[in-house]
Coordinates of all heavy atoms in Angstrom, one line a residue:
M135 N -12.6 83.0 -35.0 CA -11.8 82.0 -34.2 C -10.9 81.2 -35.1 O -11.4 80.3 -35.9 CB -12.7 81.1 -33.4 CG -13.7 81.7 -32.5 SD -13.0 81.6 -30.9 CE -13.7 83.0 -30.1
A136 N -9.7 81.3 -35.0 CA -8.7 80.6 -36.0 C -8.5 79.2 -35.6 O -8.2 78.4 -36.4 CB -7.4 81.4 -35.9
S137 N -8.8 78.8 -34.4 CA -8.6 77.4 -33.9 C -9.8 76.6 -33.9 O -10.1 75.8 -32.9 CB -7.8 77.4 -32.6 OG -8.6 78.0 -31.6
S138 N -10.7 76.8 -34.8 CA -12.0 76.0 -34.9 C -11.6 74.5 -35.2 O -10.7 74.2 -36.0 CB -12.8 76.6 -36.0 OG -13.6 75.7 -36.6
S139 N -12.4 73.6 -34.8 CA -12.2 72.2 -35.1 C -12.3 71.9 -36.6 O -11.9 70.9 -37.0 CB -13.1 71.3 -34.2 OG -14.5 71.6 -34.6
N140 N -13.1 72.8 -37.3 CA -13.3 72.6 -38.7 C -12.0 72.8 -39.5 O -11.8 72.3 -40.5 CB -14.4 73.4 -39.3 CG -15.8 73.0 -38.8 OD1 -15.9 71.9 -38.4 ND2 -16.7 74.0 -38.8
N141 N -11.1 73.7 -38.9 CA -9.9 74.0 -39.6 C -8.8 72.9 -39.5 O -7.9 72.8 -40.2 CB -9.3 75.3 -39.0 CG -10.1 76.5 -39.5 OD1 -10.9 76.4 -40.4 ND2 -9.9 77.6 -38.8
A142 N -8.9 72.1 -38.4 CA -7.9 71.0 -38.2 C -8.6 69.7 -37.8 O -8.6 69.3 -36.6 CB -7.0 71.5 -37.1
P143 N -9.3 69.1 -38.7 CA -10.1 67.9 -38.3 C -9.2 66.7 -37.8 O -9.7 65.9 -37.0 CB -10.8 67.5 -39.6 CG -10.0 68.1 -40.7 CD -9.4 69.3 -40.1
A144 N -8.0 66.7 -38.1 CA -7.1 65.6 -37.7 C -6.5 65.8 -36.4 O -5.8 64.9 -35.9 CB -6.1 65.2 -38.8
A145 N -6.6 66.9 -35.8 CA -5.9 67.3 -34.6 C -6.2 66.3 -33.4 O -5.3 65.9 -32.7 CB -6.3 68.7 -34.1
G146 N -7.4 65.8 -33.3 CA -7.7 64.9 -32.2 C -7.1 63.5 -32.4 O -6.9 62.7 -31.5
W147 N -6.7 63.2 -33.6 CA -6.2 61.8 -33.9 C -4.8 61.6 -33.4 O -4.4 60.5 -33.2 CB -6.2 61.6 -35.4 CG -7.6 61.7 -36.0 CD1 -8.1 62.6 -36.8 CD2 -8.7 60.8 -35.7 NE1 -9.4 62.4 -37.0 CE2 -9.8 61.2 -36.4 CE3 -8.8 59.6 -35.0 CZ2 -11.0 60.6 -36.4 CZ3 -10.0 58.9 -35.0 CH2 -11.1 59.4 -35.7
V148 N -4.1 62.6 -33.2 CA -2.7 62.5 -32.7 C -2.6 62.6 -31.2 O -1.6 62.6 -30.7 CB -1.7 63.4 -33.4 CG1 -1.7 63.2 -34.9 CG2 -2.1 64.9 -33.1
A149 N -3.7 62.7 -30.5 CA -3.8 62.8 -29.1 C -3.1 61.5 -28.5 O -3.4 60.4 -28.9 CB -5.2 63.0 -28.6
P150 N -2.3 61.7 -27.5 CA -1.6 60.5 -26.9 C -2.5 59.5 -26.2 O -2.2 58.3 -26.1 CB -0.7 61.1 -25.8 CG -1.1 62.5 -25.7 CD -1.9 62.9 -26.9
G151 N -3.8 59.9 -25.9 CA -4.7 59.0 -25.3 C -5.2 57.9 -26.2 O -5.6 56.8 -25.8
G152 N -5.2 58.1 -27.5 CA -5.7 57.1 -28.4 C -7.2 57.0 -28.4 O -7.9 57.9 -28.1
L153 N -7.7 55.8 -28.6 CA -9.1 55.5 -28.6 C -9.7 55.5 -27.2 O -9.0 55.2 -26.3 CB -9.4 54.1 -29.2 CG -9.1 53.8 -30.7 CD1 -9.2 52.4 -31.1 CD2 -10.1 54.6 -31.5
S154 N -10.9 55.9 -27.1 CA -11.6 55.8 -25.8 C -11.9 54.4 -25.4 O -11.7 53.5 -26.3 CB -12.9 56.6 -25.9 OG -13.8 56.1 -26.8
P155 N -12.2 54.1 -24.2 CA -12.3 52.7 -23.7 C -13.3 51.8 -24.4 O -13.0 50.7 -24.7 CB -12.7 52.9 -22.2 CG -12.2 54.2 -21.8 CD -12.3 55.1 -23.1
I156 N -14.4 52.4 -24.9 CA -15.4 51.5 -25.5 C -14.9 51.0 -26.9 O -14.9 49.8 -27.1 CB -16.8 52.2 -25.6 CG1 -17.4 52.4 -24.2 CG2 -17.8 51.4 -26.4 CD1 -18.6 53.2 -24.1
P157 N -14.5 51.9 -27.8 CA -14.0 51.3 -29.1 C -12.7 50.6 -28.9 O -12.5 49.6 -29.7 CB -13.8 52.5 -30.0 CG -14.0 53.7 -29.1 CD -14.6 53.3 -27.9
K158 N -11.9 50.9 -27.9 CA -10.7 50.1 -27.7 C -11.0 48.7 -27.3 O -10.4 47.8 -27.8 CB -9.8 50.9 -26.6 CG -8.5 50.3 -26.4 CD -7.7 51.0 -25.4 CE -7.2 52.4 -25.9 NZ -6.2 53.0 -25.0
E159 N -12.0 48.6 -26.4 CA -12.4 47.2 -26.0 C -12.9 46.4 -27.1 O -12.7 45.2 -27.3 CB -13.5 47.3 -24.9 CG -13.8 46.0 -24.2 CD -12.7 45.3 -23.5 OE1 -11.8 46.1 -22.9 OE2 -12.6 44.1 -23.5
E160 N -13.7 47.1 -28.1 CA -14.2 46.4 -29.3 C -13.0 46.0 -30.2 O -13.0 44.9 -30.7 CB -15.1 47.4 -30.0 CG -15.7 46.8 -31.3 CD -16.7 45.7 -31.1 OE1 -17.0 45.3 -30.0 OE2 -17.1 45.1 -32.1
L161 N -12.0 46.8 -30.3 CA -10.8 46.5 -31.1 C -10.2 45.3 -30.5 O -9.8 44.3 -31.3 CB -9.9 47.7 -31.1 CG -8.5 47.4 -31.8 CD1 -8.7 47.1 -33.3 CD2 -7.6 48.7 -31.6
F162 N -10.0 45.3 -29.2 CA -9.3 44.1 -28.6 C -10.1 42.9 -28.8 O -9.6 41.7 -29.0 CB -9.1 44.4 -27.1 CG -8.2 45.6 -26.8 CD1 -8.1 46.2 -25.6 CD2 -7.4 46.2 -27.8 CE1 -7.3 47.3 -25.3 CE2 -6.5 47.2 -27.6 CZ -6.5 47.8 -26.3
R163 N -11.4 43.0 -28.7 CA -12.3 41.8 -28.9 C -12.2 41.2 -30.3 O -12.0 40.0 -30.5 CB -13.8 42.2 -28.6 CG -14.8 41.0 -28.7 CD -16.2 41.5 -28.6 NE -16.6 42.3 -29.8 CZ -16.8 41.8 -31.0 NH1 -16.7 40.6 -31.3 NH2 -17.1 42.7 -32.0
V164 N -12.1 42.1 -31.3 CA -12.0 41.7 -32.7 C -10.6 41.0 -32.9 O -10.5 40.0 -33.5 CB -12.2 42.9 -33.7 CG1 -11.9 42.5 -35.1 CG2 -13.6 43.4 -33.6
L165 N -9.6 41.6 -32.3 CA -8.3 41.1 -32.4 C -8.2 39.7 -31.9 O -7.6 38.7 -32.5 CB -7.2 42.0 -31.7 CG -6.9 43.3 -32.4 CD1 -6.1 44.2 -31.5 CD2 -6.0 43.0 -33.7
D166 N -8.8 39.5 -30.8 CA -8.9 38.1 -30.1 C -9.7 37.1 -30.9 O -9.3 36.0 -31.2 CB -9.5 38.2 -28.7 CG -8.4 38.3 -27.7 OD1 -7.2 38.1 -27.9 OD2 -8.7 38.6 -26.5
E167 N -10.9 37.5 -31.3 CA -11.9 36.7 -32.0 C -11.2 36.2 -33.3 O -11.4 35.1 -33.7 CB -13.2 37.4 -32.3 CG -14.1 37.4 -31.1 CD -15.4 38.0 -31.4 OE1 -15.7 38.5 -32.5 OE2 -16.3 38.1 -30.5
E168 N -10.6 37.1 -34.0 CA -10.1 36.8 -35.3 C -8.6 36.4 -35.3 O -7.9 36.1 -36.3 CB -10.2 38.0 -36.3 CG -11.7 38.3 -36.4 CD -11.9 39.4 -37.5 OE1 -11.0 39.7 -38.3 OE2 -13.0 39.9 -37.5
N169 N -8.1 36.3 -34.0 CA -6.7 35.8 -33.8 C -5.7 36.5 -34.7 O -4.9 35.9 -35.4 CB -6.6 34.3 -34.0 CG -5.3 33.8 -33.4 OD1 -4.7 34.4 -32.5 ND2 -4.8 32.7 -33.9
I170 N -5.8 37.8 -34.8 CA -4.9 38.6 -35.6 C -3.6 38.8 -35.0 O -3.4 39.2 -33.8 CB -5.6 40.0 -36.0 CG1 -6.8 39.8 -36.8 CG2 -4.6 40.9 -36.7 CD1 -7.6 41.0 -37.1
Q171 N -2.5 38.5 -35.7 CA -1.1 38.6 -35.2 C -0.4 39.8 -35.7 O -0.9 40.4 -36.7 CB -0.4 37.3 -35.7 CG -1.0 36.0 -35.3 CD -1.1 35.9 -33.8 OE1 -0.1 36.1 -33.1 NE2 -2.2 35.4 -33.3
E172 N 0.7 40.2 -35.1 CA 1.4 41.4 -35.5 C 1.8 41.4 -37.0 O 1.7 42.4 -37.7 CB 2.6 41.5 -34.7 CG 3.3 42.8 -34.8 CD 4.4 43.1 -33.7 OE1 4.7 42.1 -33.0 OE2 4.9 44.2 -33.7
K173 N 2.2 40.2 -37.6 CA 2.5 40.1 -38.9 C 1.3 40.4 -39.9 O 1.5 40.7 -41.0 CB 3.2 38.8 -39.3 CG 2.2 37.6 -39.1 CD 2.9 36.3 -39.4 CE 2.2 35.1 -39.1 NZ 0.8 35.0 -39.4
D174 N 0.1 40.2 -39.4 CA -1.1 40.4 -40.2 C -1.6 41.9 -40.2 O -2.4 42.2 -41.0 CB -2.3 39.5 -39.6 CG -1.9 38.1 -39.6 OD1 -1.2 37.6 -40.5 OD2 -2.4 37.4 -38.7
L175 N -1.1 42.7 -39.2 CA -1.6 44.0 -39.1 C -1.6 44.9 -40.3 O -2.6 45.5 -40.6 CB -0.9 44.7 -37.9 CG -1.5 44.5 -36.6 CD1 -0.7 45.3 -35.5 CD2 -3.0 44.8 -36.5
P176 N -0.5 44.9 -41.1 CA -0.5 45.8 -42.3 C -1.7 45.5 -43.3 O -2.3 46.4 -43.8 CB 0.8 45.5 -43.0 CG 1.7 45.1 -41.9 CD 0.8 44.3 -40.9
K177 N -2.1 44.2 -43.4 CA -3.2 43.8 -44.2 C -4.5 44.0 -43.6 O -5.5 44.1 -44.3 CB -3.0 42.4 -44.7 CG -1.8 42.1 -45.5 CD -1.7 40.7 -45.9 CE -1.3 39.9 -44.6 NZ -0.9 38.5 -44.8
K178 N -4.6 44.0 -42.3 CA -5.9 43.9 -41.5 C -6.3 45.3 -40.9 O -7.4 45.4 -40.4 CB -5.7 42.9 -40.4 CG -5.6 41.5 -40.9 CD -6.9 41.0 -41.4 CE -6.9 39.5 -41.7 NZ -8.2 39.0 -42.0
T179 N -5.5 46.3 -41.0 CA -5.8 47.6 -40.4 C -7.1 48.2 -40.9 O -7.9 48.6 -40.1 CB -4.6 48.6 -40.5 OG1 -3.5 48.0 -39.9 CG2 -4.9 49.9 -39.8
K180 N -7.3 48.2 -42.2 CA -8.5 48.7 -42.8 C -9.7 47.9 -42.3 O -10.7 48.5 -41.9 CB -8.4 48.7 -44.3 CG -9.7 49.3 -45.0 CD -9.6 49.2 -46.5 CE -10.8 49.8 -47.2 NZ -12.1 49.5 -46.8
H181 N -9.6 46.6 -42.3 CA -10.6 45.7 -41.8 C -11.0 46.0 -40.3 O -12.1 46.1 -40.0 CB -10.2 44.3 -42.0 CG -11.0 43.3 -41.3 ND1 -12.3 42.9 -41.7 CD2 -10.8 42.5 -40.1 CE1 -12.8 42.0 -40.9 NE2 -11.9 41.8 -39.9
L182 N -10.0 46.2 -39.5 CA -10.2 46.5 -38.1 C -10.9 47.8 -37.9 O -11.8 47.9 -37.1 CB -8.9 46.5 -37.3 CG -8.2 45.1 -37.2 CD1 -6.7 45.3 -36.7 CD2 -9.0 44.2 -36.3
A183 N -10.4 48.8 -38.7 CA -11.1 50.1 -38.5 C -12.5 50.1 -39.0 O -13.4 50.7 -38.3 CB -10.3 51.2 -39.4
D184 N -12.8 49.3 -40.0 CA -14.2 49.2 -40.5 C -15.0 48.5 -39.5 O -16.2 48.8 -39.3 CB -14.3 48.4 -41.8 CG -13.7 49.3 -43.0 OD1 -13.5 50.5 -42.9 OD2 -13.4 48.6 -44.0
K185 N -14.5 47.5 -38.8 CA -15.2 46.7 -37.8 C -15.6 47.5 -36.6 O -16.6 47.3 -36.0 CB -14.4 45.5 -37.3 CG -14.2 44.4 -38.3 CD -15.4 43.6 -38.5 CE -15.3 42.4 -37.6 NZ -16.3 41.3 -37.8
I186 N -14.7 48.4 -36.1 CA -15.0 49.2 -34.9 C -15.5 50.6 -35.2 O -15.8 51.4 -34.3 CB -13.8 49.3 -34.0 CG1 -12.7 50.2 -34.5 CG2 -13.3 47.9 -33.6 CD1 -11.7 50.6 -33.5
R187 N -15.7 51.0 -36.5 CA -16.1 52.3 -36.8 C -17.5 52.7 -36.2 O -17.7 53.7 -35.6 CB -16.2 52.5 -38.3 CG -16.7 53.8 -38.8 CD -16.7 54.0 -40.3 NE -17.2 55.3 -40.6 CZ -17.1 55.7 -41.9 NH1 -16.7 55.0 -42.8 NH2 -17.5 57.0 -42.2
E188 N -18.4 51.8 -36.3 CA -19.8 52.0 -35.8 C -19.7 52.2 -34.3 O -20.3 53.1 -33.7 CB -20.7 50.9 -36.1 CG -22.1 51.1 -35.7 CD -23.1 50.0 -36.1 OE1 -22.7 49.2 -37.0 OE2 -24.2 50.0 -35.6
T189 N -19.0 51.4 -33.6 CA -18.8 51.5 -32.1 C -18.2 52.8 -31.8 O -18.6 53.5 -30.8 CB -17.9 50.3 -31.6 OG1 -18.6 49.1 -31.9 CG2 -17.8 50.4 -30.1
Y190 N -17.2 53.2 -32.5 CA -16.5 54.5 -32.3 C -17.5 55.6 -32.5 O -17.6 56.6 -31.6 CB -15.3 54.7 -33.2 CG -14.8 56.1 -33.1 CD1 -13.9 56.4 -32.1 CD2 -15.2 57.1 -33.9 CE1 -13.4 57.7 -31.9 CE2 -14.7 58.4 -33.8 CZ -13.8 58.7 -32.8 OH -13.3 60.0 -32.6
E191 N -18.3 55.6 -33.6 CA -19.2 56.7 -33.9 C -20.3 56.8 -32.8 O -20.7 57.9 -32.4 CB -19.8 56.5 -35.3 CG -18.8 56.8 -36.3 CD -19.3 56.5 -37.8 OE1 -20.3 55.8 -37.9 OE2 -18.7 57.0 -38.7
K192 N -20.8 55.6 -32.3 CA -21.9 55.7 -31.3 C -21.3 56.2 -30.0 O -22.0 56.9 -29.3 CB -22.4 54.2 -31.1 CG -23.3 53.8 -32.2 CD -23.9 52.4 -32.0 CE -24.8 52.0 -33.1 NZ -25.3 50.6 -32.9
S193 N -20.1 55.7 -29.6 CA -19.6 56.1 -28.3 C -19.1 57.6 -28.3 O -19.2 58.3 -27.2 CB -18.5 55.2 -27.8 OG -17.3 55.4 -28.7
S194 N -18.6 58.1 -29.4 CA -18.1 59.5 -29.4 C -19.2 60.5 -29.8 O -19.0 61.7 -29.6 CB -16.9 59.5 -30.4 OG -17.4 59.4 -31.8
G195 N -20.3 60.0 -30.5 CA -21.3 60.9 -31.0 C -20.8 61.7 -32.2 O -21.4 62.7 -32.6
E196 N -19.7 61.2 -32.8 CA -19.1 61.9 -33.9 C -19.1 61.0 -35.2 O -18.7 59.8 -35.1 CB -17.6 62.1 -33.6 CG -17.0 63.3 -34.1 CD -15.5 63.5 -33.7 OE1 -15.3 63.7 -32.5 OE2 -14.7 63.2 -34.5
K197 N -19.6 61.5 -36.3 CA -19.7 60.7 -37.5 C -18.4 60.9 -38.3 O -18.0 62.0 -38.5 CB -20.8 61.1 -38.3 CG -21.1 60.4 -39.6 CD -22.0 59.3 -39.3 CE -22.5 58.6 -40.6 NZ -22.4 57.2 -40.6
L198 N -17.6 59.8 -38.6 CA -16.4 59.9 -39.3 C -16.7 60.3 -40.8 O -17.5 59.6 -41.4 CB -15.6 58.6 -39.2 CG -15.0 58.3 -37.9 CD1 -14.4 56.9 -37.9 CD2 -13.9 59.3 -37.5
K199 N -15.9 61.2 -41.3 CA -16.0 61.6 -42.7 C -15.0 60.9 -43.5 O -14.0 60.4 -42.9 CB -15.8 63.1 -42.8 CG -16.8 64.0 -42.0 CD -16.4 65.4 -42.0 CE -17.1 66.2 -41.0 NZ -16.7 66.0 -39.7
P200 N -15.2 60.7 -44.8 CA -14.2 60.0 -45.6 C -12.8 60.6 -45.4 O -11.8 59.8 -45.4 CB -14.6 60.2 -47.0 CG -16.2 60.3 -46.9 CD -16.4 61.1 -45.6
A201 N -12.7 61.9 -45.2 CA -11.3 62.5 -45.0 C -10.7 62.1 -43.7 O -9.5 62.2 -43.5 CB -11.5 64.0 -45.0
D202 N -11.5 61.6 -42.7 CA -11.0 61.2 -41.4 C -10.5 59.7 -41.4 O -9.8 59.3 -40.5 CB -12.1 61.2 -40.4 CG -12.6 62.6 -40.1 OD1 -11.9 63.6 -40.3 OD2 -13.8 62.7 -39.7
M203 N -10.8 59.0 -42.4 CA -10.5 57.5 -42.4 C -9.1 57.2 -42.4 O -8.7 56.2 -41.7 CB -11.3 56.8 -43.5 CG -12.8 56.8 -43.4 SD -13.4 56.3 -41.7 CE -12.8 54.6 -41.7
D204 N -8.2 57.8 -43.1 CA -6.8 57.5 -43.1 C -6.2 57.7 -41.7 O -5.5 56.8 -41.1 CB -6.0 58.3 -44.1 CG -6.2 57.8 -45.5 OD1 -6.6 56.7 -45.7 OD2 -5.9 58.6 -46.4
A205 N -6.6 58.8 -41.0 CA -6.1 59.0 -39.7 C -6.7 58.0 -38.7 O -6.0 57.5 -37.8 CB -6.4 60.4 -39.3
F206 N -8.0 57.7 -38.9 CA -8.6 56.7 -38.0 C -8.0 55.3 -38.1 O -7.7 54.7 -37.2 CB -10.1 56.6 -38.3 CG -10.9 55.7 -37.4 CD1 -11.0 56.0 -36.1 CD2 -11.5 54.6 -37.9 CE1 -11.8 55.1 -35.2 CE2 -12.2 53.7 -37.2 CZ -12.3 54.0 -35.8
R207 N -7.7 54.9 -39.4 CA -7.0 53.6 -39.6 C -5.7 53.6 -39.0 O -5.2 52.6 -38.4 CB -6.9 53.4 -41.1 CG -8.2 53.0 -41.7 CD -8.1 52.6 -43.2 NE -9.4 52.6 -43.8 CZ -9.8 53.4 -44.8 NH1 -9.0 54.3 -45.3 NH2 -11.0 53.3 -45.2
A208 N -4.9 54.7 -39.1 CA -3.6 54.8 -38.5 C -3.7 54.7 -36.9 O -2.9 53.9 -36.3 CB -2.9 56.1 -38.9
L209 N -4.7 55.3 -36.4 CA -4.9 55.2 -34.9 C -5.3 53.8 -34.5 O -4.7 53.2 -33.6 CB -6.0 56.2 -34.5 CG -6.5 56.1 -33.0 CD1 -5.3 56.4 -32.1 CD2 -7.6 57.1 -32.8
V210 N -6.2 53.2 -35.3 CA -6.5 51.8 -35.0 C -5.3 50.9 -35.1 O -5.1 50.0 -34.3 CB -7.7 51.3 -35.9 CG1 -7.9 49.8 -35.9 CG2 -9.0 52.1 -35.6
G211 N -4.5 51.0 -36.1 CA -3.3 50.2 -36.3 C -2.3 50.4 -35.2 O -1.8 49.4 -34.7
R212 N -2.2 51.6 -34.8 CA -1.2 51.9 -33.6 C -1.8 51.2 -32.3 O -1.0 50.6 -31.6 CB -1.1 53.4 -33.4 CG 0.0 53.8 -32.4 CD 0.2 55.3 -32.4 NE -0.9 56.0 -31.8 CZ -1.6 56.9 -32.5 NH1 -1.3 57.2 -33.7 NH2 -2.6 57.5 -31.9
E213 N -3.0 51.4 -32.0 CA -3.6 50.8 -30.8 C -3.5 49.2 -30.9 O -3.2 48.6 -29.9 CB -5.1 51.2 -30.7 CG -5.3 52.6 -30.4 CD -5.1 52.9 -28.9 OE1 -4.8 52.1 -28.1 OE2 -5.3 54.1 -28.6
A214 N -3.8 48.7 -32.1 CA -3.7 47.2 -32.3 C -2.3 46.7 -32.0 O -2.1 45.7 -31.4 CB -4.3 46.8 -33.7
A215 N -1.4 47.4 -32.6 CA 0.1 47.0 -32.5 C 0.5 47.1 -31.1 O 1.3 46.1 -30.6 CB 1.0 47.9 -33.4
E216 N 0.1 48.1 -30.4 CA 0.5 48.2 -28.9 C -0.1 47.1 -28.1 O 0.6 46.5 -27.3 CB 0.1 49.6 -28.4 CG 0.9 50.7 -29.0 CD 0.4 52.1 -28.5 OE1 -0.6 52.2 -27.7 OE2 0.9 53.1 -29.0
W217 N -1.3 46.8 -28.4 CA -2.0 45.7 -27.6 C -1.4 44.4 -27.9 O -1.2 43.6 -27.0 CB -3.5 45.8 -27.9 CG -4.3 44.8 -27.1 CD1 -4.6 45.0 -25.7 CD2 -4.7 43.5 -27.4 NE1 -5.3 43.9 -25.3 CE2 -5.4 43.0 -26.3 CE3 -4.7 42.8 -28.6 CZ2 -6.0 41.7 -26.3 CZ3 -5.3 41.5 -28.6 CH2 -5.9 41.0 -27.5
I218 N -1.2 44.1 -29.2 CA -0.6 42.8 -29.6 C 0.8 42.6 -28.9 O 1.2 41.5 -28.5 CB -0.5 42.6 -31.1 CG1 -1.9 42.4 -31.7 CG2 0.4 41.5 -31.5 CD1 -2.0 42.4 -33.2
A219 N 1.6 43.7 -28.9 CA 2.9 43.6 -28.3 C 2.8 43.3 -26.8 O 3.7 42.7 -26.2 CB 3.7 45.0 -28.5
R220 N 1.8 43.8 -26.1 CA 1.6 43.5 -24.7 C 0.9 42.2 -24.4 O 1.0 41.7 -23.3 CB 0.8 44.7 -24.1 CG 1.4 46.0 -24.0 CD 0.6 47.0 -23.1 NE -0.8 46.9 -23.3 CZ -1.5 47.8 -24.1 NH1 -0.8 48.7 -24.8 NH2 -2.8 47.8 -24.2
R221 N 0.2 41.7 -25.3 CA -0.6 40.5 -25.1 C 0.3 39.3 -24.9 O 1.3 39.1 -25.6 CB -1.5 40.2 -26.4 CG -2.4 39.0 -26.3 CD -3.4 38.9 -27.4 NE -2.7 38.8 -28.7 CZ -3.3 38.7 -29.9 NH1 -4.6 38.8 -29.9 NH2 -2.7 38.5 -31.0
P222 N 0.0 38.5 -23.9 CA 0.8 37.3 -23.7 C 0.6 36.3 -24.8 O -0.5 36.1 -25.3 CB 0.2 36.7 -22.4 CG -1.1 37.4 -22.1 CD -1.1 38.6 -22.9
H223 N 1.7 35.8 -25.3 CA 1.6 34.8 -26.4 C 1.4 33.4 -25.9 O 2.2 33.0 -25.0 CB 2.9 34.9 -27.2 CG 3.1 36.2 -27.8 ND1 2.4 36.7 -28.9 CD2 3.9 37.3 -27.5 CE1 2.8 37.9 -29.2 NE2 3.7 38.3 -28.3
V224 N 0.4 32.7 -26.4 CA 0.1 31.4 -25.9 C 0.4 30.3 -26.9 O 0.4 30.6 -28.1 CB -1.4 31.3 -25.4 CG1 -1.6 31.9 -24.1 CG2 -2.3 31.8 -26.4

């Protein structure tokens, strides 16, 4: 089988759906609690990914490998940027 998931581990990361609801909710909670702004995202993406990694792994049943982390951080950064852009500014 040429299209095994082992051959393309990053394929799921580019799915348009992004994070599933449970880790996404955790990401939004962390963004709110830490009051992270759009200008802070480049410096905070690794921190955010580390904060929600355990929640992601528990909800997905998938253990992230070191090779997955760059793609996971990019996904977290994209989700965070989209949410901050939609969040009402107070």
Side-chain angles (χ1 to χ4, degrees):
M135 302 260 151
S137 62
S138 150
S139 63
N140 291 338
N141 290 343
W147 299 109
V148 295
L153 290 170
S154 63
I156 294 171
K158 189 180 282 194
E159 188 63 34
E160 178 69 7
L161 173 62
F162 298 164
R163 184 189 64 74
V164 172
L165 287 166
D166 265 349
E167 281 183 0
E168 299 186 12
N169 195 27
I170 294 174
Q171 303 299 313
E172 193 168 7
K173 65 180 171 44
D174 302 325
L175 275 181
K177 296 178 290 194
K178 294 287 191 169
T179 301
K180 181 183 184 312
H181 166 74
L182 291 168
D184 291 344
K185 291 281 270 194
I186 70 163
R187 179 180 182 170
E188 184 178 346
T189 302
Y190 173 82
E191 290 176 340
K192 285 180 181 176
S193 70
S194 71
E196 214 178 289
K197 185 92 169 128
L198 290 171
K199 299 172 196 71
D202 298 331
M203 290 310 296
D204 284 342
F206 182 66
R207 286 184 194 116
L209 175 61
V210 168
R212 187 174 68 240
E213 292 278 1
E216 289 173 6
W217 186 77
I218 287 172
R220 291 191 316 263
R221 179 170 65 180
H223 299 286
V224 285

